[in-house]
Amino acid sequence: MENPALNQIAEALATVHNSQVSNEARRRAQEYLDAAKQENDAPLWGYQLAISGPNTHPDQVRHFGMSLLEHIIRHNYLNCDSSQHVALRNWVVELCMGVRASDAYYLREKLASLWVAIAKRSWGASEDEWADMDKVLTQMWNLNATARELTLIIFRTLFEDVFMLDDPIAGKRAGILSAQCIEVLTDEKILERVYASRNQELIYLRCGSDGWLSRWSILLGECLDRGAQDAETEIFALKVLQSLKNCLLWAFPMAIRETDLLNRISQALTIQNVKVKTLATDCLHILFTRSFPDDEDFSAVIGAVFLAPGISILSQVYQSIRLDFDNFDEDAYILLKKLVEMIVGLGDYLDLTGSGKNRLSADIDLKGYLELVFATTQHESLIISGLSLQFWGSLLRAEHLARRPEAESIFPRLLELAATRIIRYESVEDEENITKRFLELDFDSVPEQHAFLGNYRRFIDDIARLIVCRMPINALIWLDERLDKFFSSWHGWHDRQMSSAKLQKDSMFLLAYGQFSIVDAALRGISRWKHWYTEADKDVLSETLNPIIERFCERMISMDVTDPVLLRKHIQTLVQFAPLMKHVTHTMFRVLERVLQACMFEYPAEASDEDRELIRDLRNNCDTELNRLAYLMPDALITIYDDLERTIKEIIASNKLSDNEVVSFLSFLLVVSQRANAPNKPECFSKIVDPVLNSWTDEGTMKGLSQLPWFMERTGIVEIANYFQSRGVDANTDLLSTPIDDEGRKLKDSLKMRWAALFPIRATRIFIQYTIEKLDHSSKEYLALLAMWKPRVQPIIPHILQLIAQIAAYHNPDNWESLPPEVRSFVRDSCMERFWQVGISLQSRDEFVEENVKAAQTLRDFADSLGHMLRYTREYAFLTLGSITQLEDTMYEIPGIGGMLWQAVAGEYRGMSLHAWKHLIALVVRPAVKNCPRVLRQQFLSDFLPPVLRRLDEHLMERWTFLTERGLINKVEEDDELSEEMMEEYLLRQLSNVVDRFLLDLVGPINPKAALIELPERKPPAKDLMDTRSIVVSDLNILAPFLTLCTHMFTIHDTRCSYSSALMLRQIIPSIIGRHEQVDNFLCDMVIPACLTVLSDAYYADIAGEASYVLTLVYTVLRGRYDRPFRKFVEIIAGATPELVIALEQELASVKTLRQQRGVMLEFLTVLCAIPEGSEGDHARRIARVKREREAQQRWTSSRKAAEQDSAVESVLESGGLVDLFGGD
């Protein structure tokens, strides 16, 4: 090395990579390398270090040399003159021309990224034009095999940045770059057929008449003809397919057809190389999902695949992939997943939505295609099987397809498959079960696996329901025979002496549970048929079907099921007969009898704690089913109402029911009386409801709610304190190690009986909710109930608020100061929440349960039980308020209710746990906002929202600041401490996500096509007609805390909340910017720094795209009005001199779209190192990956997701933005 600097760089790199050197020496070496990037000679040093030749440097040195070149291109290219641009370009070309076969793969990738970085900035640019790039690439193609490979890497990277990624540099010149890529990719003869006249500037950039697509097709064919078996043909086949993968979406269909690419790629599927087959599958998937406007192109590609030869090839390829767990091939499994996804995706061309736009010819092999998809559904991997479930659901709903004989022939087999796949695989313990082994392979965590299986069963359930709807008679006969065959052997395996906990692990138990599930789905399918089927023979079919249903029900009733878990499912299934047999009252009364019996299932004296818990769960679920019967057949039940009332009175008088169960029985009578056509509804209502509501105003309740000391006395604190004193308990006593004695057990039992009926909150909530559930608010039934509820509920609302306030006061440590030390210690213990969370808790669930069982035999159980009762009561109080909000203006017309409500639920916020905050927002705040009547919305929200938003902002920021300063789950030495801090972080993230959904409630669903800025004044709607969003954006007292909270949520370390907040800001800013100086100042002083914070932190890489749009939007619009954004940039961006910011603004004004302006902004920040270092395009690639993952997840959810912004806003306001900043020049 002749240049001393090169020697020093090489030595510094050696030091940095030497693990034997001290950290201090390595730090100094790294500082030297960082400083070297800023030197004026850095580009020359980079070239000299990277060049290959006789005295080639080590790979790590060459890579650093390329990084020096990359740094100047990324951070200072705009400041280089024309000669420097040419020098940089020539150096990169020379490095690429000199690539050698021995060069490491990462060096080739780095060279390609350097080439593309320059191409994005200068290829075909009007100034400093790189006009011969295509010629140079052609020369490299013909130079040698290594250079040819590098050209393929260059094109792959270039196409990715220009067409696939949200790359800001490519986005600045998206129009010209995309046109140039199309020009060089396509044969000239095809371009002449497509375009009436050619652009001479584009013609000037190409080399020769052949396009790259032709070259790649020929090369791919040559490699495949040789089987892609040797190293050279394999690597070229892979590189060509990678490049094709990035251009098939936008290349001219005619070019694809003329170059015979469909056949070439299909041929790649048939060779033995798994890597080549996987990439070929990716290419076909892209090809089959792109648009083909021309019918000839569509027929040549999509139409050809659906013909018998095309389906045959796909079937052969699918059948050829065999997986053996003893010698598992992970690459083959990945290929299988992609192949099945591609096969199922073709189903979209069958017009599943019924739009009538099916472009396929009549001679397609529909039977072959459906058989192939069904074969994938049968796969033992549920991931593979699950890929086609949504297809079957759509096909079964598509009338024009479901009636085809090709489809009908598959439905019986599909129903059989559904009946075997509906079991709960998460409970399967057989480690040799192939499906279970696939699940263990596919999922790293139990929650992910359980979530997937839950969605899988829901799809299977839906398929079974729809098939039964399509073929009700044959399906029910088949199902009846199946159940008869299965349950005839019931007594052969069902050991009545086996505990329920052990029985659940038996494989036959899982099958039995699955049979009930499939029956449940079938019954819902029959219900759908009765509403959906409208043909002339419906009455005839019904006459045939009804006896089958009745016999089926009788068979189900006669089953002797004694296991609590199976009995619970059995009862749920029996109740499902109600919509189908409302008029067969004698049978349904037998169903009612079975439900009542299950509600009173006896607790065996020798039952274990686990079995007792299962029985308790059975009774609770049957209480729910009892009320479902009331909803489903009230008119039939009202005919025996007097008998029901007498029977239930007797049951209650027997003292065999808990207080909660008594409430459920009474709510059953209440629902029957109010949903049936009965003349004495008010009398029945008053008879059941008034005793409960009147208890809110009895002397004991009123006194207990008046002050905290009386509240504590009513909960039993005095008795507990006296007992503790008799046991010699003081503030230092370890309650967990102090056993309870007989006196303590008697006191505990007495207190638990008192706590069960301490406040009538549960009955109040259930009575309200059950009576109004699913009623149209304009219906006569609802209005009649409202007339009865309103005068009864309004007087008790203050008492409910008092109850919540006293529970909050109990948890507030400030209120414990006057208590004796031992009582203070007990109250502190009772406020401690103990949770078990899978994946978070260090204990297993069994260990957690065992610990709590042991605690029940100690004095700590007093604290645990009291704490649980208070939390349970508070949650039911929250639920009650949520139900009251559904009673129209009942609550909202109370003067000052907004302030009263928030003061009660959060006035004493100290001591409120994250768990309590989460329930408060989800159960009270969100319903209160969403259910507020429009005419009262302005006043209520103006009183309610400002303190809510301010308190949430203060609380969340305080918790997140503490968590961030402490460190996100690190530097924790003790396991107990780790578990506690993991739980705290988990709960904080849960709360943050609930708050995020609340903010979405306020501004409405996010529009993926964000609105453009609307500065022209619009006439505001009348205040009594304003929606929630309009009130939020028009009332500065609400808008200010909303923006503060949203901006802070934007910068917390939770990517989901941060991303959602960025979308909200992007959507709401056009409605508020430029209207109030106070708001504009906030956007400038708070939102701009927040965006820069997000962009400068690699943690937020997934949000960087939205953050950059928000930043560009705010700056461009506000800069047209004020100097404040300019001063803010100069103030907070290191190195942003006034001259540089002025140059930025001039370039912003020179481009037309927001996407291009965003590219300018990001390039400016990159030059100033205001965003993280990394290879150009890294962030864009990561964002693209995240979006692909989100799209994949959407296949497994049937609920509406918050919309994502997938495309850029393509234009900005014509007036008021930076386009006018310089006088429109």
Side-chain angles (χ1 to χ4, degrees):
M1 298 183 187
E2 296 180 357
N3 191 328
L6 303 186
N7 285 323
Q8 292 172 359
I9 290 173
E11 291 172 1
L13 283 168
T15 301
V16 167
H17 292 92
N18 187 351
S19 60
Q20 305 300 317
V21 176
S22 68
N23 288 337
E24 178 61 23
R26 294 167 72 183
R27 183 187 62 78
R28 289 198 303 268
Q30 186 61 55
E31 289 177 351
Y32 172 79
L33 294 175
D34 293 339
K37 294 181 180 180
Q38 311 302 325
E39 295 292 333
N40 292 333
D41 290 334
L44 176 60
W45 296 344
Y47 163 71
Q48 292 173 335
L49 291 170
I51 194 71
S52 61
N55 299 315
T56 299
H57 302 294
D59 286 352
Q60 67 186 32
V61 177
R62 293 185 64 199
H63 187 272
F64 182 77
M66 296 176 194
S67 298
L68 291 177
L69 290 171
E70 182 183 50
H71 187 271
I72 190 69
I73 295 170
R74 289 193 67 195
H75 296 285
N76 211 27
Y77 193 83
L78 294 176
N79 297 324
C80 295
D81 58 29
S82 178
S83 63
Q84 291 171 321
H85 288 167
V86 172
L88 283 170
R89 188 165 69 227
N90 289 340
W91 285 339
V92 171
V93 170
E94 184 179 348
L95 292 174
C96 291
M97 286 286 194
V99 68
R100 301 174 305 178
S102 60
D103 286 345
Y105 178 74
Y106 66 86
L107 292 179
R108 304 180 203 186
E109 289 285 337
K110 193 71 170 180
L111 285 172
S113 70
L114 289 175
W115 184 295
V116 172
I118 292 180
K120 287 187 296 187
R121 291 166 170 84
S122 65
W123 181 35
S126 56
E127 298 178 8
D128 185 28
E129 187 173 284
W130 188 3
D132 67 342
M133 188 181 88
D134 192 44
K135 179 180 178 181
V136 177
L137 286 170
T138 305
Q139 293 171 355
M140 287 175 57
W141 179 263
N142 297 318
L143 184 61
N144 56 54
T146 308
R148 176 171 290 193
E149 178 194 345
L150 183 56
T151 62
L152 289 165
I153 299 174
I154 289 170
F155 273 115
R156 182 206 72 203
T157 308
L158 177 64
F159 293 164
E160 191 174 42
D161 286 4
V162 173
F163 292 97
M164 301 177 66
L165 303 180
D166 193 13
D167 183 274
I169 304 302
K172 285 176 56 180
R173 306 180 57 235
I176 185 64
L177 287 175
S178 58
Q180 290 167 183
C181 289
I182 292 171
E183 177 71 33
V184 300
L185 185 75
T186 314
D187 285 353
E188 202 159 32
K189 61 182 180 181
I190 294 176
L191 292 172
E192 290 172 352
R193 289 161 61 185
V194 172
Y195 297 117
S197 61
R198 304 271 307 285
N199 186 324
Q200 292 302 313
E201 292 182 357
L202 294 178
I203 296 175
Y204 175 67
L205 294 176
R206 70 179 294 136
C207 175
S209 59
D210 290 339
W212 286 98
L213 209 58
S214 295
R215 297 188 184 108
W216 296 341
S217 179
I218 293 170
L219 178 60
L220 180 61
E222 293 172 353
C223 295
L224 296 177
D225 289 342
R226 293 164 59 183
Q229 294 300 313
D230 60 89
E232 181 175 319
T233 56
E234 180 188 31
I235 195 67
F236 275 123
L238 292 173
K239 295 301 178 186
V240 169
L241 289 169
Q242 286 172 354
S243 297
L244 290 174
K245 181 180 173 182
N246 287 353
C247 70
L248 287 174
L249 187 64
W250 48 267
F252 284 125
M254 186 187 299
I256 295 172
R257 188 156 44 91
E258 293 289 329
T259 52
D260 199 27
L261 277 176
L262 177 61
N263 286 332
R264 300 274 198 223
I265 300 171
S266 299
Q267 182 185 354
L269 276 181
T270 63
I271 68 172
Q272 297 304 310
N273 192 304
V274 173
K275 293 180 181 178
V276 172
K277 292 170 77 169
T278 301
L279 268 174
T281 302
D282 288 338
C283 290
L284 287 177
H285 186 60
I286 292 170
L287 195 58
F288 295 158
T289 53
R290 63 159 292 166
S291 62
F292 291 96
D294 184 80
D295 288 340
E296 184 179 359
D297 295 327
F298 179 87
S299 298
V301 179
I302 306 301
V305 175
F306 273 97
L307 296 178
I311 298 299
S312 176
I313 290 175
L314 292 178
S315 298
Q316 291 171 21
V317 175
Y318 173 76
Q319 296 295 338
S320 70
I321 304 174
R322 292 285 182 264
L323 299 173
D324 180 5
F325 264 102
D326 294 329
N327 186 24
F328 195 77
D329 188 340
E330 183 68 31
D331 291 336
Y333 190 34
I334 293 172
L335 167 61
L336 185 61
K337 291 176 184 177
K338 292 188 173 189
L339 180 68
V340 172
E341 185 175 11
M342 182 262 288
I343 290 170
V344 174
L346 286 168
D348 291 341
Y349 291 104
L350 296 177
D351 187 25
L352 294 173
T353 60
S355 63
K357 297 180 179 179
N358 188 353
R359 300 167 65 190
L360 294 171
S361 62
D363 58 345
I364 65 169
D365 185 11
L366 179 61
K367 180 175 178 58
Y369 176 73
L370 295 180
E371 291 288 351
L372 175 57
V373 176
F374 180 66
T376 71
T377 313
Q378 290 176 299
H379 200 277
E380 290 170 311
S381 165
L382 297 190
I383 286 285
I384 301 293
S385 172
L387 291 171
S388 58
L389 297 185
Q390 195 167 21
F391 165 83
W392 291 117
S394 300
L395 184 142
L396 284 160
R397 289 179 171 87
E399 190 68 21
H400 65 290
L401 287 172
R403 287 190 172 186
R404 295 279 294 266
E406 299 94 333
E408 289 182 336
S409 67
I410 288 180
F411 290 162
R413 288 176 286 154
L414 188 58
L415 180 60
E416 178 78 37
L417 180 65
T420 59
R421 288 286 175 86
I422 204 167
I423 68 172
R424 300 180 62 85
Y425 283 98
E426 55 266 62
S427 300
V428 174
E429 293 191 341
D430 182 7
E431 296 300 328
E432 296 304 313
N433 183 287
I434 298 298
T435 297
K436 186 71 173 180
R437 294 179 72 178
F438 271 115
L439 287 170
E440 296 298 328
L441 178 71
D442 287 321
F443 296 97
D444 295 327
S445 72
V446 174
E448 289 177 351
Q449 184 186 107
H450 286 191
F452 166 80
L453 290 173
N455 281 315
Y456 186 91
R457 278 195 300 275
R458 279 189 281 275
F459 276 114
I460 286 288
D461 177 277
D462 190 48
I463 288 170
R465 180 179 69 91
L466 293 171
I467 292 176
V468 173
C469 179
R470 287 280 169 193
M471 37 185 283
I473 294 176
N474 290 337
L476 274 191
I477 292 174
W478 168 83
L479 192 55
D480 189 31
E481 293 173 352
R482 179 184 176 87
L483 259 67
D484 183 49
K485 183 177 180 181
F486 181 84
F487 285 105
S488 62
S489 62
W490 177 264
H491 297 289
W493 67 269
H494 182 202
D495 184 356
R496 292 174 179 268
Q497 303 304 315
M498 184 184 296
S499 73
S500 182
K502 291 182 179 179
L503 181 63
Q504 289 182 66
K505 299 177 181 179
D506 192 293
S507 59
M508 292 296 287
F509 171 90
L510 297 175
L511 288 173
Y513 194 93
Q515 305 318 299
F516 286 135
S517 298
I518 208 72
V519 171
D520 188 277
L523 294 174
R524 284 182 282 111
I526 299 295
S527 296
R528 184 178 190 270
W529 179 84
K530 287 182 174 289
H531 290 91
W532 162 77
Y533 194 76
T534 57
E535 300 297 328
D537 61 345
K538 183 175 182 178
D539 291 339
V540 175
L541 290 176
S542 294
E543 290 179 4
T544 305
L545 191 59
N546 289 337
I548 298 175
I549 297 172
E550 189 171 349
R551 287 196 306 272
F552 200 9
C553 184
E554 293 281 357
R555 179 190 293 276
M556 293 290 293
I557 293 172
S558 65
M559 286 184 179
D560 181 20
V561 182
T562 58
D563 173 72
V565 177
L566 280 181
L567 180 57
R568 183 185 68 190
K569 189 64 179 177
H570 183 220
I571 294 299
Q572 290 173 349
T573 307
L574 285 176
V575 172
Q576 199 62 53
F577 280 96
L580 307 175
M581 301 179 60
K582 293 180 180 179
H583 304 297
V584 190
T585 53
H586 63 282
T587 303
M588 290 314 300
F589 289 162
R590 289 182 61 200
V591 170
L592 174 62
E593 182 181 8
R594 289 299 304 272
V595 175
L596 288 171
Q597 289 172 356
C599 287
M600 300 178 64
F601 193 96
E602 295 288 345
Y603 292 95
E606 70 284 358
S608 66
D609 290 336
E610 192 170 0
D611 282 347
R612 293 182 70 85
E613 186 61 34
L614 292 175
I615 295 172
R616 188 177 297 110
D617 186 53
L618 163 68
R619 292 172 63 133
N620 290 339
N621 275 274
C622 289
D623 288 343
T624 302
E625 295 306 316
L626 182 65
N627 279 275
R628 278 186 66 208
L629 271 180
Y631 285 119
L632 293 171
M633 45 184 297
D635 290 327
L637 293 173
I638 198 70
T639 61
I640 57 170
Y641 185 83
D642 292 339
D643 294 333
L644 288 173
E645 186 178 35
R646 183 178 61 256
T647 301
I648 287 176
K649 279 184 179 180
E650 292 172 356
I651 293 173
I652 293 173
S654 70
N655 290 324
K656 292 182 178 181
L657 301 179
S658 68
D659 287 286
N660 288 348
E661 290 167 347
V662 169
V663 171
S664 295
F665 274 68
L666 291 176
S667 66
F668 166 74
L669 291 176
L670 181 62
V671 172
V672 170
S673 67
Q674 301 306 306
R675 292 297 178 99
N677 292 319
N680 59 337
K681 288 185 178 183
E683 292 82 356
C684 292
F685 183 94
S686 177
K687 191 174 183 180
I688 297 171
V689 170
D690 287 349
V692 171
L693 298 191
N694 289 339
S695 63
W696 281 103
T697 54
D698 67 35
E699 184 178 353
T701 302
M702 297 279 285
K703 184 178 180 182
L705 295 176
S706 61
Q707 293 180 341
L708 181 59
W710 291 117
F711 176 81
M712 296 178 77
E713 180 178 330
R714 186 168 172 83
T715 59
I717 292 290
V718 174
E719 291 97 319
I720 295 172
N722 291 336
Y723 169 67
F724 276 20
Q725 188 176 18
S726 71
R727 292 289 306 274
V729 173
D730 58 27
N732 299 317
T733 301
D734 182 4
L735 299 182
L736 188 57
S737 62
T738 307
I740 194 171
D741 58 13
D742 290 340
E743 182 185 353
R745 290 189 184 91
K746 291 179 182 178
L747 174 61
K748 186 172 69 172
D749 292 341
S750 172
L751 287 173
K752 286 187 174 181
M753 290 182 62
R754 184 200 301 181
W755 291 339
L758 193 60
F759 300 103
I761 191 65
R762 184 176 182 274
T764 303
R765 192 266 170 171
I766 285 180
F767 288 172
I768 296 173
Q769 192 64 43
Y770 279 22
T771 52
I772 65 174
E773 186 75 24
K774 295 182 180 180
L775 283 179
D776 186 333
H777 282 210
S778 61
S779 66
K780 292 181 179 179
E781 294 86 350
Y782 175 83
L783 294 175
L785 284 165
L786 180 63
M788 291 186 284
W789 274 122
K790 186 173 180 178
R792 290 174 167 86
V793 167
Q794 280 187 339
I796 68 169
I797 289 177
H799 304 307
I800 296 173
L801 296 182
Q802 278 182 303
L803 173 60
I804 296 173
Q806 294 298 0
I807 295 175
Y810 178 92
H811 286 80
N812 187 349
D814 293 343
N815 297 325
W816 304 343
E817 296 301 322
S818 61
L819 299 175
E822 63 275 10
V823 178
R824 190 186 314 152
S825 176
F826 170 81
V827 172
R828 183 184 298 108
D829 284 345
S830 69
C831 293
M832 185 178 296
E833 296 178 342
R834 294 179 177 86
F835 297 100
W836 182 85
Q837 177 62 42
V838 62
I840 300 294
S841 301
L842 296 179
Q843 293 174 303
S844 69
R845 186 177 185 278
D846 291 341
E847 289 172 338
F848 178 80
V849 171
E850 183 181 355
E851 180 183 298
N852 280 274
V853 169
K854 290 180 179 178
Q857 306 304 317
T858 70
L859 295 189
R860 199 187 78 177
D861 190 52
F862 281 99
D864 290 348
S865 299
L866 177 58
H868 174 74
M869 182 276 293
L870 291 174
R871 287 187 291 273
Y872 179 85
T873 302
R874 176 163 57 189
E875 286 184 23
Y876 250 100
F878 287 168
L879 286 166
T880 304
L881 288 176
S883 296
I884 291 173
T885 65
Q886 299 175 51
L887 295 174
E888 293 296 325
D889 59 0
T890 298
M891 180 183 78
Y892 297 97
E893 69 178 17
I894 297 174
I897 188 60
M900 290 167 51
L901 176 61
W902 184 246
Q903 180 62 30
V905 298
E908 297 212 40
Y909 59 88
R910 282 207 65 209
M912 277 186 67
S913 66
L914 293 167
H915 197 66
W917 275 105
K918 182 187 75 171
H919 283 103
L920 168 59
I921 303 303
L923 304 180
V924 179
V925 175
R926 292 186 69 198
V929 171
K930 289 194 288 188
N931 295 328
C932 182
R934 187 176 288 258
V935 294
L936 298 171
R937 192 174 291 161
Q938 175 76 38
Q939 182 61 52
F940 176 75
L941 296 184
S942 297
D943 293 341
F944 185 62
L945 285 181
V948 172
L949 294 167
R950 284 194 296 268
R951 173 53 56 201
L952 287 177
D953 181 54
E954 292 171 8
H955 188 70
L956 280 175
M957 290 312 101
E958 177 184 336
R959 291 298 188 106
W960 273 109
T961 299
F962 170 77
L963 199 67
T964 306
E965 290 176 352
R966 184 205 69 194
L968 297 176
I969 308 306
N970 57 16
K971 299 180 182 179
V972 181
E973 298 178 358
E974 298 296 331
D975 283 350
D976 290 344
E977 188 178 354
L978 176 64
S979 182
E980 183 179 339
E981 296 196 359
M982 288 174 65
M983 184 63 73
E984 181 184 6
E985 182 174 327
Y986 169 78
L987 292 173
L988 181 55
R989 292 187 187 279
Q990 279 198 329
L991 171 60
S992 300
N993 280 279
V994 172
V995 172
D996 174 63
R997 289 193 288 272
F998 166 55
L999 294 180
L1000 283 171
D1001 293 340
L1002 299 182
V1003 296
I1006 295 173
N1007 181 3
K1009 305 287 186 181
L1012 303 182
I1013 304 170
E1014 304 171 4
L1015 290 182
E1017 293 292 335
R1018 296 175 298 171
K1019 183 179 179 181
K1023 286 191 174 183
D1024 60 348
L1025 298 177
M1026 293 173 73
D1027 58 19
T1028 301
R1029 178 193 169 102
S1030 298
I1031 294 172
V1032 170
V1033 300
S1034 63
D1035 189 334
L1036 290 183
N1037 290 324
I1038 300 174
L1039 182 60
F1042 172 85
L1043 284 176
T1044 302
L1045 177 55
C1046 193
T1047 304
H1048 284 152
M1049 294 277 286
F1050 181 33
T1051 58
I1052 64 175
H1053 270 236
D1054 185 285
T1055 51
R1056 185 191 304 176
C1057 291
S1058 183
Y1059 183 77
S1060 178
S1061 298
L1063 294 179
M1064 279 187 276
L1065 286 170
R1066 185 175 172 187
Q1067 176 166 291
I1068 199 174
I1069 283 173
S1071 303
I1072 61 176
I1073 197 167
R1075 299 176 186 272
H1076 303 282
E1077 185 175 358
Q1078 180 183 349
V1079 174
D1080 292 344
N1081 289 345
F1082 177 89
L1083 295 176
C1084 185
D1085 295 343
M1086 296 294 292
V1087 174
I1088 286 179
C1091 290
L1092 292 171
T1093 297
V1094 168
L1095 289 170
S1096 66
D1097 190 340
Y1099 175 85
Y1100 298 104
D1102 301 346
I1103 301 103
E1106 297 305 325
S1108 59
Y1109 274 116
V1110 173
L1111 175 64
T1112 307
L1113 191 64
V1114 172
Y1115 191 91
T1116 52
V1117 175
L1118 291 186
R1119 185 63 183 96
R1121 288 164 174 74
Y1122 316 105
D1123 290 334
R1124 200 182 190 101
F1126 179 90
R1127 296 197 305 271
K1128 182 60 65 174
F1129 261 38
V1130 173
E1131 173 190 341
I1132 64 176
I1133 301 177
T1137 64
E1139 293 76 17
L1140 287 176
V1141 179
I1142 289 173
L1144 163 69
E1145 292 175 348
Q1146 290 172 335
E1147 193 169 359
L1148 285 171
S1150 69
V1151 294
K1152 297 180 179 179
T1153 70
L1154 182 59
R1155 184 184 180 194
Q1156 291 172 325
Q1157 288 181 326
R1158 169 181 168 268
V1160 171
M1161 181 67 73
L1162 286 178
E1163 187 173 27
F1164 169 77
L1165 296 174
T1166 302
V1167 168
L1168 294 176
C1169 300
I1171 58 178
E1173 282 288 342
S1175 296
E1176 196 162 84
D1178 278 355
H1179 294 326
R1181 288 179 180 86
R1182 184 173 176 186
I1183 292 168
R1185 174 180 55 77
V1186 170
K1187 287 186 176 181
R1188 286 195 299 271
E1189 289 173 355
R1190 287 193 178 113
E1191 290 168 0
Q1193 290 171 356
Q1194 286 177 348
R1195 289 196 298 269
W1196 290 102
T1197 179
S1198 56
S1199 61
R1200 181 180 60 84
K1201 294 282 189 184
E1204 296 179 7
Q1205 284 182 288
D1206 293 322
S1207 60
V1209 179
E1210 290 300 332
S1211 60
V1212 291
L1213 193 66
E1214 291 298 325
S1215 61
L1218 273 176
V1219 288
D1220 289 337
L1221 181 60
F1222 300 102
D1225 292 337

